[in-house]
Amino acid sequence: MRIVVIAIGRLKQGPERELADRYRERFDDIGRKLGFRGLEIHEIPESRARDVAARMADEAAAISALIPDKSSIIALDERGETIDSAAFARHLGRWRDESVPTAVFLIGGADGLSPELRRKVKLSVAFGKATWPHQMVRVMLLEQIYRAATILSGHPYHRA
């Protein structure tokens, strides 16, 4: 199973980029042994449209163009379900075992994801009740993907 992260906005050079790259590399090392075929990250520029509806529609179109057929779509959304790391790992492991070709994680822009995209998601996840900047959400997501791989492999990184 491939894992794809589609994010509105770019991570500029700096500590967030370095940390995101570190977790991505760690996942690549352990993920292949677990049947994951890679972790791709697609960055989409924020829409410059003047009103919220147009911005969300522009971003939704760009995101939708990158989602492969038969994907499990997971939205990172402040209104989503708060799940622990073990449950997150179970979701990834189950999709892998069910031969889902791609798990696609969506990180929306400042206005969030369009209602049309939210209707397509299989799982909506929140990293707590707080609102987080998209740069931090990406780092936290990549850490959780790496952590899920360590849980699935029995590696001691996760000590719950």
Side-chain angles (χ1 to χ4, degrees):
M1 180 175 82
R2 283 183 15 217
I3 296 177
V4 175
V5 175
I6 302 173
I8 301 298
R10 294 195 57 220
L11 278 185
K12 296 175 180 72
Q13 292 301 319
E16 295 91 354
R17 167 73 68 187
E18 292 169 15
L19 198 51
D21 289 344
R22 183 182 314 162
Y23 286 120
R24 181 181 182 182
E25 289 167 12
R26 286 181 179 179
F27 173 80
D28 285 343
D29 289 342
I30 197 169
R32 271 181 250 126
K33 298 171 190 164
L34 296 171
F36 295 103
R37 295 185 335 212
L39 172 57
E40 300 171 26
I41 299 173
H42 298 279
E43 296 179 326
I44 297 172
E46 294 178 51
S47 171
R48 299 284 183 216
R50 289 186 173 201
D51 66 273
V52 172
R55 277 193 305 272
M56 290 174 82
D58 288 350
E59 292 170 357
I63 289 169
S64 295
L66 293 172
I67 299 174
D69 291 338
K70 300 180 183 172
S71 297
S72 285
I73 303 171
I74 305 93
L76 281 291
D77 188 330
E78 64 187 6
R79 296 170 296 248
E81 181 182 349
T82 302
I83 60 174
D84 64 20
S85 297
F88 187 87
R90 284 191 299 274
H91 283 294
L92 281 182
R94 186 181 74 246
W95 294 325
R96 177 202 59 196
D97 296 346
E98 292 173 351
S99 299
V100 171
T102 312
V104 178
F105 291 87
L106 306 179
I107 301 172
D111 301 306
L113 296 169
S114 73
E116 297 81 31
L117 274 178
R118 286 200 317 258
R119 282 192 289 273
K120 294 179 182 179
V121 304
K122 188 168 214 94
L123 177 66
S124 184
V125 177
F127 289 138
K129 293 183 180 196
T131 301
W132 296 97
H134 75 273
Q135 300 94 332
M136 295 300 296
V137 170
R138 188 175 328 175
V139 170
M140 292 187 297
L141 172 61
L142 293 172
E143 191 281 338
Q144 284 299 293
I145 291 170
Y146 167 67
R147 183 177 294 271
T150 66
I151 290 168
L152 293 170
S153 73
H155 187 281
Y157 179 77
H158 180 72
R159 294 185 178 107

